[in-house]
Structure formats: C-alpha cells, structure tokens
Amino acid sequence: MTVPVVSIFEAGDYEQQIARAADLLRGGGVVVLPTETVYGAAGVLGNDKALSRLKSIRGNADVAKPFTIHLAHREQAARYLDQVGEVGTRLMKKLWPGPVALVFDVPPPRRADVANLLKTAESDVYYNGAITLRCPDHIVATDVIARVEEPVVLTVAGRAAQGPADSIANELAGKADLIFDAGPTRYSKPSTIVKVRDDGFDIVRAGVYDERIIERLLRTTILFVCSGNTCRSPMAESLARVALAKRLNIPPDDLEKKGITIISAGSLALPGARATPQAVEAVKALGADLTRHRSRPLTVELIHQADHIFTMSRNHADAVTALVPSAADKTTTLNPEGDIDDPIGGDLSLYQQLAERMQQLVEKRLETVQP
C-alpha cells in the first residue's frame, strides 16, 4: 500500500494539511513528520493501534522502552515532570527547541498521577523511573503536535529516515498513513540524548550536539546583531563587556570565567573582518577594546546559544527569527524607539556620537539581564 507524500511547503494549503495530519493522529494513524534531525513516524500516546504500528516501524530495538514524547512547546514538559531543579530548567531553556532529548527522573507518586491522567500504562510513559522528552525545532512538526492536543510520540522513520521522502514511503508502505516532505533535514543525524542530574548532565547518546557544544550553550550568552559585524554590533558588544564587568566588579577579561559570554554577529557578515578604525577609536574613549575583534556571520547555533539577542534594527531581528522562529521571545532591538543607523562611511565624530548613545542603550538593556 503506497503512503501518500505531501510536499508540505509547496502544497498551497498548509493549514489544511496540518489539520489533516492532526486528524489522522487523533484517529490512531501514523504520520511521518520532518524534524531538524531526521524524519520521525508519529502517533498518539495511549492509542494501542498507533503504538503497535510504531513498534513495527521501530523493530526489536529497545522493545521495552517507551517512545519519546515530543512537545510543541517546552512549557508542556511540566505535564510529565515533578519539580525540576536549576540544571533541568536551564537545559530546557537553552536546548529546546533543538536537536536534544532530555531524560528526567520522576518520583513514583508523580509517575502514577501522570499515567492516570493520560489514561495509559505507566510503562508507556516512563522507563526505570525516567521519561525522555524532546521539543523539535521544525515548524511542521511543531504545528502538527500543537494541533493534536494529545501526547505525541515519535520514532525514527525506518532506515531511510534522513530522506528523501520517496525512500521513506517505500520502506513504510502499509505502516504509515501520510508523509510530509519538507526536503532534507537540517542536520541529517540523530538527536543528542542527555540525562539530567541535580548537579549536571550526562550524554546518553552522542548526536548533533556533543558535550562541548552543550556546555557552551548552557552559559549565559548575550548576542548583538547588525549587518556586517564591523561597526554597530561589535561596538555594542565591547561596551556591554565594560558595563557588565563594572556591575560584577571584575575585569572584562574575567567575564568568561564567570560563565558569561558576550558576542556579536552580522546577518550579512563575512568571517574575519576587523572592526572599522573609527569604531575602534570611538569605544576606546569609553574604556572598551575592539582591537581583537573579527567579524562572524549570524548562524542558527549562535542564536540557540544566546539567552538575550539585541539587534540594531527591526530587519536584523527579522533575520534572527527567519533562522530560528522560536528565538522571537528573546530578541529585541537595542533601541526600543527605533533602528540604529549604520555609521559606515561616516567620520570619527559620527562614531563617537553613536558610541555615547549606544553606551546608554546597552546599560539600560543590561538592567534586564541576570548573569
């Protein structure tokens, strides 16, 4: 039996297709969804028909383990967890949505309450006292999961899970009801699985992110964004270093030791360019140093890494959310009253005026930042 394949971004009726997938899932169907890692076969938790078909797709591997519950929004994790400590809270905030599944220990009374609420066996949700949750960073998966409004579980869509969709359709013939084709996945490799501890974390399975990347993502990171990353955003970055170091009563070079990273990037930047001489001179008069600055382009990883993103214009904010839509809630313009004009081509006096104004704006914005 051939599985229908819909090129979801070319279908012309996106909302109707999302609703179609949600209806299939609520009825016990299996729908293959794109994520940022691989394509996953989805079903509704507690539906015996759907889980049986998912087990057929997964095969004999980890036969006793429940499927990973996928969330549309990180806040939905509270539905399945007990009290989450500081480490777990930060892991969810920094790694979700993204290519990481988190494993949480849950005490017996809470496990029993959740299973009763979901009207399913505790073993369908928890394994050895723990639950694995994932919040994918893909609009199609997120929209479908949100529309279902019931717990949705996913398993890798067979050996052809990295695509193309036609290969998945051939392998899952008779096992799935619909496939949403969104083209190649962003990473084309499995998600990382991380076990959350009270005092840290352990890598259960290496995937897109390794331990080094995760440790970096867990830092407090402030990101400034402009176009070329040679004037405005590096000026703001250097001034923020001075302001935050002064608040913490430490030298600017010791911010990294405190777990604080302040960086800048450009939506149109090429890597390796120096800050303009006028920018270097303008911030020097205010105690900041740009002599070591080298430009870098804005990337998905940088956006995920950042706790706070301040942009020089509304267009730069749009560039951030175009790469990572979920970053909208942590992205704002540095100047709440409007855009900061690009000084490129201007003389030193123009840069000096900009630096003085930017110093005020940076200090004001940093009042909302908790290192």
Side-chain angles (χ1 to χ4, degrees):
M1 178 179 176
T2 303
V3 184
V5 177
V6 174
S7 296
I8 185 62
F9 292 133
E10 301 173 5
D13 56 347
Y14 180 86
E15 290 298 330
Q16 289 88 340
Q17 292 295 340
I18 296 298
R20 173 190 180 189
D23 287 342
L24 282 170
L25 289 170
R26 283 191 291 263
V30 171
V31 177
V32 175
L33 302 174
T35 74
E36 75 277 33
T37 55
V38 296
Y39 280 79
V44 168
L45 180 69
N47 187 294
D48 292 340
K49 176 183 175 182
L51 293 185
S52 176
R53 298 172 73 187
L54 291 181
K55 289 176 182 177
S56 175
I57 293 171
R58 183 169 67 178
N60 294 325
D62 299 325
V63 64
K65 290 186 177 181
F67 295 100
T68 299
I69 296 175
H70 283 55
L71 313 172
H73 308 288
R74 68 170 70 94
E75 293 79 11
Q76 294 175 341
R79 185 178 187 181
Y80 310 99
L81 304 176
D82 198 55
Q83 296 296 320
V84 178
E86 181 179 345
V87 173
T89 300
R90 186 152 185 80
L91 284 165
M92 288 190 289
K93 178 181 178 182
K94 296 306 297 288
L95 302 180
W96 284 353
V100 177
L102 297 177
V103 183
F104 296 88
D105 288 323
V106 179
R110 178 59 177 159
R111 297 200 304 264
D113 288 345
V114 171
N116 183 60
L117 181 66
L118 297 178
K119 296 181 173 58
T120 189
E122 187 176 311
S123 59
D124 286 342
V125 186
Y126 302 97
Y127 179 74
N128 288 339
I131 188 172
T132 302
L133 301 173
R134 174 148 138 68
C135 184
D137 187 18
H138 196 292
I139 189 172
V140 175
T142 297
D143 284 349
V144 172
I145 293 168
R147 183 70 70 95
V148 173
E149 297 181 343
E150 296 180 54
V152 174
V153 296
L154 270 74
T155 189
V156 175
R159 296 182 301 275
Q162 295 180 5
D166 289 344
S167 297
I168 298 174
N170 290 333
E171 184 176 347
L172 298 190
K175 298 180 179 180
D177 301 295
L178 177 65
I179 296 173
F180 278 161
D181 181 6
T185 61
R186 185 187 308 158
Y187 298 112
S188 295
K189 62 191 302 186
S191 59
T192 302
I193 301 178
V194 175
K195 176 64 183 294
V196 180
R197 305 193 318 264
D198 290 339
D199 59 349
F201 66 90
D202 297 311
I203 302 294
V204 177
R205 182 186 73 190
V208 175
Y209 290 164
D210 58 22
E211 185 172 1
R212 174 187 59 85
I213 292 176
I214 291 175
E215 287 179 345
R216 188 165 76 241
L217 289 172
L218 290 178
R219 301 172 66 86
T220 296
T221 300
I222 302 168
L223 171 63
F224 295 94
V225 180
C226 69
S227 298
N229 194 220
T230 59
C231 298
R232 291 168 290 177
S233 61
M235 291 171 68
E237 173 192 350
S238 65
L239 293 168
R241 288 181 184 277
V242 173
L244 198 51
K246 182 178 180 181
R247 188 210 295 186
L248 298 175
N249 197 29
I250 59 175
D253 288 344
D254 285 353
L255 288 170
E256 290 288 335
K257 297 177 185 178
K258 289 286 188 179
I260 301 167
T261 299
I262 304 177
I263 53 179
S264 62
S267 59
L268 302 174
L270 296 175
R274 295 177 181 271
T276 63
Q278 297 94 326
V280 174
E281 287 300 315
V283 299
K284 182 179 179 181
L286 299 175
D289 181 14
L290 271 181
T291 57
R292 292 176 291 178
H293 174 76
R294 299 294 182 272
S295 63
R296 77 179 91 194
L298 182 67
T299 65
V300 168
E301 183 177 331
L302 284 177
I303 296 169
H304 280 305
Q305 180 181 342
D307 296 279
H308 308 273
I309 303 174
F310 300 113
T311 68
M312 301 302 116
S313 73
R314 184 67 250 172
N315 285 340
H316 297 131
D318 291 342
V320 170
T321 55
L323 288 174
V324 181
S326 59
D329 61 351
K330 63 180 180 181
T331 303
T332 187
T333 54
L334 181 61
N335 183 0
E337 298 178 357
D339 295 349
I340 298 174
D341 292 335
D342 193 343
I344 195 73
D347 59 16
L348 179 57
S349 64
L350 177 62
Y351 277 80
Q352 290 171 332
Q353 293 173 26
L354 174 60
E356 292 172 359
R357 174 60 177 148
M358 194 171 285
Q359 183 183 50
Q360 298 172 358
L361 292 169
V362 165
E363 291 177 351
K364 187 67 175 177
R365 286 298 192 190
L366 290 182
E367 291 177 0
T368 65
V369 174
Q370 296 297 322

